[in-house]
Amino acid sequence: MKQMTSAQIRQMFLDFFADKGHTIEPSSSLVPKDDPTLLWINSGVATMKKYFDGEKIPKNPRLVSAQKSIRTNDIENVGHTARHQTFFEMLGNFSVGDYFKPQAVAWAWELLTSPKWFDFDPQKLYVTVYPKDQAAYDCWLEQGVSPEHIYKVEDNFWDIGVGPCGPDSEIFYDRGQENNDVAENDPENYPGGENARYLEIWNIVFSELNHLPDGQYVDQPHKNIDTGMGLERMVSVIQNAPTNFETDLFLPIIHATEQVSANKKYGVNPEDDIAFKIIADHVRAVSFAIGDGALPSNEGRGYVLRRLIRRAVLNGHKLGIKGSFLRDLVPVVGQIMQSYYPEIVDQQEFIQTTIENEETRFAATLNDGLSLLKETIAKTKATGSQQISGEAAFKLFDTYGFPYELTEESAQEQGLSVDRTGFDNQMEQQKQRARNARGNKQSMGNQDQVLMSLKTPSIFVGYDQNVVEQAQLNAIIVRDQEVSQVTEGQAQLIFDQTPFYAEMGGQVADIGEIRDQAGNAVAEVVDVQHAPNGQNLHLVNVKAPLVKNERYQLAIDETFRMKVRRNHTATHLLDQALRNVLGGQTRQAGSLVEPDYLRFDFTSSQRLTEAQLQQIEQIVNEKIWQEIPVETIETDLESAKKLGAISLFDDKYGEQVRVVKVADFSMEFCGGTHVKNTSEIGIFKIVSETAIGSGVRRVTAVTSQEAYRVDQEQLSYLKQMQQDLKTPQLKALPSKVAQLTAQLKTTQQQLQSLQVKLAQQEAGDLLTNVQQLGSLKAIIALVPDTGMNELRQIADNWKQNQPSDILVLGTKNQDKANLLVSANSVAIDHNLAAGDLIKQIAPQIDGGGGGRAQMAQAGGKNPSGLDAALQLAKDLITKA
Ligand code: ATP
Ligand code: MG
């Protein structure tokens, strides 16, 4: 088999399908975009849903990708099986209503077996098909696969409920019976069975049916191909590794972990190896997840991260690792993945800090938690119970940060279980108590059924109005149920009209207040989202009773909204300025408009230069100074497109669209709220520019007060410097710094020449130190660290007035040593020629040398032998 690196294997897959007319899609973020049903992107197809369900038609129906994926359901497998990670890359080719079974199978076989590509031995490959899928069976036969290598397996049907589904065909690599964990004749020992011999490397899904809500399956108008090949598994096969971990994707991380462990080595003890593998897997997962914008927290994605980090830390303890160490593995991950995923190296510092903070937090509570855990286990056992209570598990979670699963694992090691229901109840109560955060979107997912049935219309009037005096309250939802009134806690409300903006197009939702007709505040609006039928759904903290069908005054927080407006219009100006500077090929890849800052993501293969950033900032500010009126136009889609308005790549638009126009500079499809005139933005300032994914970069910027604040802060540093350097004026700082630098340079030069003089003087002193050895006068000296040139200079001085018959010098120069001998005719007559003497003493410094009778020199690798060399010279001279 060919020798290939993981990077080459990934590239070969992409190249093969690009060769067959596929467009290479860059890996999407691990955090799903606009898909509340998914916690993490867990396969290539997860990013292609919009194409597969027909919501959107791709430009090219043939696509190929290497997609970052996270599967938390495999967490327990990591380290225990050869083939599972939580984070892995899925290589996949996709056909959206284009080629189907015969072509997909033919290409899969060609890629795997052709000598031009992966060049696998066909004898090592097995495939499985769905028993009723004779077509797929025939396709494999057609490729020359022998019938003994095709298995019919009932499981091979891909169906995740309502929606596209179909039979699939899996490809297995035979790792040989010697790598198996079951006997040759075990009933599970076949491709697709529970065994370690036949490794599933690739799955090809023939998405041809539609699973209807009533349970029927009907033909799909567009048949699609969706495939998934695990990169790590391919690499393990090609690099002939026993598991995914002994490959170039993981070994550098494992070796770096060995460095910090207490003398633990990988491959010695199976228990330790599991810990090494878990750490290597988890640090990859958290580095990528944080790089894609997820952060450790107590729920959802953040909880998964927290759990992964804590699990890695606890496994570090098993290897005797003390202190934070995960953060130091991030650069190793960055190095390995850099060629295809520069985002880890680009954001290394941020990822490291985030991980270290989490490690520190955990360390602080870990010891207390561990003793409480021990105590709890002991108490539970003492009472004769088999189960740790939900309250105890919750206390460990809430106070000491122990993820539930960790408590459960520790309990299981002691033969106990944990009361999950009790734990969940405690958790729910906690959530009720602490539900104060904005943007609690998760509650929406659960409430679809009730919300979907709500058809009562609601009009958004917030483009022109900050307050609606008489809005009728048409629906109240409390904990997934529609109710007619609410007196406390949280609720979701729909009114016939509202000034509150619902989060959309990157612009955050409004916050504000709901008042009764007497003007008393009855609820605080903390978030607004679109309900399934489009109404603005207000998430509120109830302060006083609210009753359905009553009328209320709705008032947004005007300061908040004013800031948002400025940042939103500034985002449009930034978008256009970027296009002007980078050229038309750049496109927007997402944006966020908050009151305090704005964030804009765009495609670009290179980081922006300082000059480009300045130019962009300048353009935006010029548009602000030009005091341009901002217009909005509502029109139909076609006319808007004809006007040349910029539309976003994956947004959907209805028949009527809204276009926001800043003179002839910027024109974009946008439903957001904007200033009336660009001058309202005040100033615009870019604060950072970073990479967030392959080919995607992010600019964050501030406007108005916030920009002023940032400027003030930077100015304060300069002023501090001005004070420290005692310059009368700020503008004199650069020349002051230049002056200081020049001064420093002169001082350094003077210092150097003084050092030379000093050395010369010391050498002079040295020549007065004459000793009488037998009948000869000798000078023997160890000169402080210097080099052969200096020794020669001293010898020249010696020669001029010959204060002795013989001169022996030694010196150390970093890890090298030098010796020099000079002799006059008297010494030579005593059989002490310089060349002879040096040959005798040089071995002491592990060196050799030679020269003439008058002068000889030697170099060696052992400075610690200098004293012995000089002593030996002394003895030899005395004897002579
Ligand atoms: P398995 O049964 O081995 O867990 P799967 O049936 O869950 O695999 P698919 O959902 O078909 O796998 O995913 C397609 C491919 O992705 C697999 O063939 C495999 O190469 C890879 N893959 C799936 N899960 C993982 C994982 N946890 N770690 C590494 N690779 C994986
Ligand atoms: Mg699986």
Side-chain angles (χ1 to χ4, degrees), residues 125 177 181 183 237 242 254 336 486 633 766 772:
L125 295 173
Q177 182 57 26
D181 54 0
V237 168
I254 291 176
I336 299 171
V486 57
I633 307 163
L766 202 140
Q772 186 72 40

PDB file of all heavy atoms in Angstrom, residues 125 177 181 183 237 242 254 336 486 633 766 772:
ATOM      1  N   LEU A 125     -11.267  -5.892   0.759  1.00  0.00           N
ATOM      2  CA  LEU A 125     -12.475  -5.078   0.871  1.00  0.00           C
ATOM      3  C   LEU A 125     -13.733  -5.934   0.843  1.00  0.00           C
ATOM      4  O   LEU A 125     -13.814  -6.912   0.093  1.00  0.00           O
ATOM      5  CB  LEU A 125     -12.517  -4.049  -0.261  1.00  0.00           C
ATOM      6  CG  LEU A 125     -11.397  -2.998  -0.223  1.00  0.00           C
ATOM      7  CD1 LEU A 125     -11.423  -2.129  -1.478  1.00  0.00           C
ATOM      8  CD2 LEU A 125     -11.528  -2.115   1.017  1.00  0.00           C
ATOM      9  N   GLN A 177      -7.624 -11.722  10.846  1.00  0.00           N
ATOM     10  CA  GLN A 177      -8.075 -12.371  12.072  1.00  0.00           C
ATOM     11  C   GLN A 177      -7.138 -12.032  13.245  1.00  0.00           C
ATOM     12  O   GLN A 177      -7.563 -11.951  14.385  1.00  0.00           O
ATOM     13  CB  GLN A 177      -8.175 -13.891  11.847  1.00  0.00           C
ATOM     14  CG  GLN A 177      -8.692 -14.693  13.029  1.00  0.00           C
ATOM     15  CD  GLN A 177     -10.075 -14.237  13.500  1.00  0.00           C
ATOM     16  OE1 GLN A 177     -10.872 -13.692  12.736  1.00  0.00           O
ATOM     17  NE2 GLN A 177     -10.359 -14.442  14.787  1.00  0.00           N
ATOM     18  N   ASP A 181     -11.151  -9.272  17.836  1.00  0.00           N
ATOM     19  CA  ASP A 181     -11.403  -9.466  19.254  1.00  0.00           C
ATOM     20  C   ASP A 181     -12.443 -10.567  19.473  1.00  0.00           C
ATOM     21  O   ASP A 181     -12.891 -10.786  20.582  1.00  0.00           O
ATOM     22  CB  ASP A 181     -11.826  -8.153  19.924  1.00  0.00           C
ATOM     23  CG  ASP A 181     -13.012  -7.507  19.221  1.00  0.00           C
ATOM     24  OD1 ASP A 181     -13.496  -8.077  18.213  1.00  0.00           O
ATOM     25  OD2 ASP A 181     -13.449  -6.437  19.670  1.00  0.00           O
ATOM     26  N   ALA A 183     -13.596 -14.781  18.050  1.00  0.00           N
ATOM     27  CA  ALA A 183     -13.037 -15.966  17.398  1.00  0.00           C
ATOM     28  C   ALA A 183     -13.444 -16.019  15.936  1.00  0.00           C
ATOM     29  O   ALA A 183     -14.451 -15.430  15.522  1.00  0.00           O
ATOM     30  CB  ALA A 183     -13.511 -17.228  18.109  1.00  0.00           C
ATOM     31  N   VAL A 237      -5.744   2.533   8.384  1.00  0.00           N
ATOM     32  CA  VAL A 237      -5.531   1.418   7.459  1.00  0.00           C
ATOM     33  C   VAL A 237      -4.267   1.663   6.627  1.00  0.00           C
ATOM     34  O   VAL A 237      -3.393   0.810   6.533  1.00  0.00           O
ATOM     35  CB  VAL A 237      -6.760   1.246   6.537  1.00  0.00           C
ATOM     36  CG1 VAL A 237      -6.444   0.298   5.395  1.00  0.00           C
ATOM     37  CG2 VAL A 237      -7.957   0.749   7.337  1.00  0.00           C
ATOM     38  N   PRO A 242      -2.657  -0.075  14.511  1.00  0.00           N
ATOM     39  CA  PRO A 242      -3.631  -0.949  15.149  1.00  0.00           C
ATOM     40  C   PRO A 242      -4.952  -0.233  15.472  1.00  0.00           C
ATOM     41  O   PRO A 242      -6.011  -0.848  15.456  1.00  0.00           O
ATOM     42  CB  PRO A 242      -2.933  -1.409  16.427  1.00  0.00           C
ATOM     43  CG  PRO A 242      -1.705  -0.580  16.563  1.00  0.00           C
ATOM     44  CD  PRO A 242      -1.386  -0.002  15.235  1.00  0.00           C
ATOM     45  N   ILE A 254      -0.124  12.471  21.618  1.00  0.00           N
ATOM     46  CA  ILE A 254       0.168  11.470  22.648  1.00  0.00           C
ATOM     47  C   ILE A 254       1.603  11.652  23.159  1.00  0.00           C
ATOM     48  O   ILE A 254       1.848  11.623  24.367  1.00  0.00           O
ATOM     49  CB  ILE A 254      -0.060  10.056  22.072  1.00  0.00           C
ATOM     50  CG1 ILE A 254      -1.562   9.846  21.837  1.00  0.00           C
ATOM     51  CG2 ILE A 254       0.501   8.989  23.018  1.00  0.00           C
ATOM     52  CD1 ILE A 254      -1.937   8.538  21.180  1.00  0.00           C
ATOM     53  N   ILE A 336      -0.683  19.838  13.606  1.00  0.00           N
ATOM     54  CA  ILE A 336      -1.107  18.670  12.838  1.00  0.00           C
ATOM     55  C   ILE A 336      -2.151  19.064  11.792  1.00  0.00           C
ATOM     56  O   ILE A 336      -2.129  18.588  10.665  1.00  0.00           O
ATOM     57  CB  ILE A 336      -1.712  17.600  13.771  1.00  0.00           C
ATOM     58  CG1 ILE A 336      -0.671  17.144  14.797  1.00  0.00           C
ATOM     59  CG2 ILE A 336      -2.232  16.416  12.977  1.00  0.00           C
ATOM     60  CD1 ILE A 336      -1.239  16.258  15.883  1.00  0.00           C
ATOM     61  N   VAL A 486     -51.252  35.063  33.085  1.00  0.00           N
ATOM     62  CA  VAL A 486     -50.039  34.627  33.772  1.00  0.00           C
ATOM     63  C   VAL A 486     -49.730  35.658  34.849  1.00  0.00           C
ATOM     64  O   VAL A 486     -49.920  36.848  34.652  1.00  0.00           O
ATOM     65  CB  VAL A 486     -48.875  34.450  32.772  1.00  0.00           C
ATOM     66  CG1 VAL A 486     -48.601  35.724  31.988  1.00  0.00           C
ATOM     67  CG2 VAL A 486     -47.607  34.012  33.492  1.00  0.00           C
ATOM     68  N   ILE A 633     -36.320  50.511   0.721  1.00  0.00           N
ATOM     69  CA  ILE A 633     -37.258  50.332  -0.384  1.00  0.00           C
ATOM     70  C   ILE A 633     -37.923  48.987  -0.211  1.00  0.00           C
ATOM     71  O   ILE A 633     -37.224  47.988   0.012  1.00  0.00           O
ATOM     72  CB  ILE A 633     -36.505  50.329  -1.735  1.00  0.00           C
ATOM     73  CG1 ILE A 633     -35.636  51.584  -1.859  1.00  0.00           C
ATOM     74  CG2 ILE A 633     -37.468  50.185  -2.898  1.00  0.00           C
ATOM     75  CD1 ILE A 633     -34.568  51.472  -2.920  1.00  0.00           C
ATOM     76  N   LEU A 766      48.137  38.984  33.364  1.00  0.00           N
ATOM     77  CA  LEU A 766      48.417  37.568  33.298  1.00  0.00           C
ATOM     78  C   LEU A 766      49.894  37.287  33.014  1.00  0.00           C
ATOM     79  O   LEU A 766      50.492  36.364  33.546  1.00  0.00           O
ATOM     80  CB  LEU A 766      47.550  37.079  32.140  1.00  0.00           C
ATOM     81  CG  LEU A 766      47.132  35.673  31.963  1.00  0.00           C
ATOM     82  CD1 LEU A 766      45.685  35.718  31.489  1.00  0.00           C
ATOM     83  CD2 LEU A 766      47.984  35.066  30.898  1.00  0.00           C
ATOM     84  N   GLN A 772      58.480  29.782  38.692  1.00  0.00           N
ATOM     85  CA  GLN A 772      59.711  29.040  38.403  1.00  0.00           C
ATOM     86  C   GLN A 772      59.394  27.565  38.552  1.00  0.00           C
ATOM     87  O   GLN A 772      59.043  27.083  39.617  1.00  0.00           O
ATOM     88  CB  GLN A 772      60.808  29.463  39.399  1.00  0.00           C
ATOM     89  CG  GLN A 772      62.183  28.868  39.114  1.00  0.00           C
ATOM     90  CD  GLN A 772      62.836  29.502  37.879  1.00  0.00           C
ATOM     91  OE1 GLN A 772      62.734  30.721  37.677  1.00  0.00           O
ATOM     92  NE2 GLN A 772      63.499  28.705  37.047  1.00  0.00           N
TER      93      GLN A 772
END
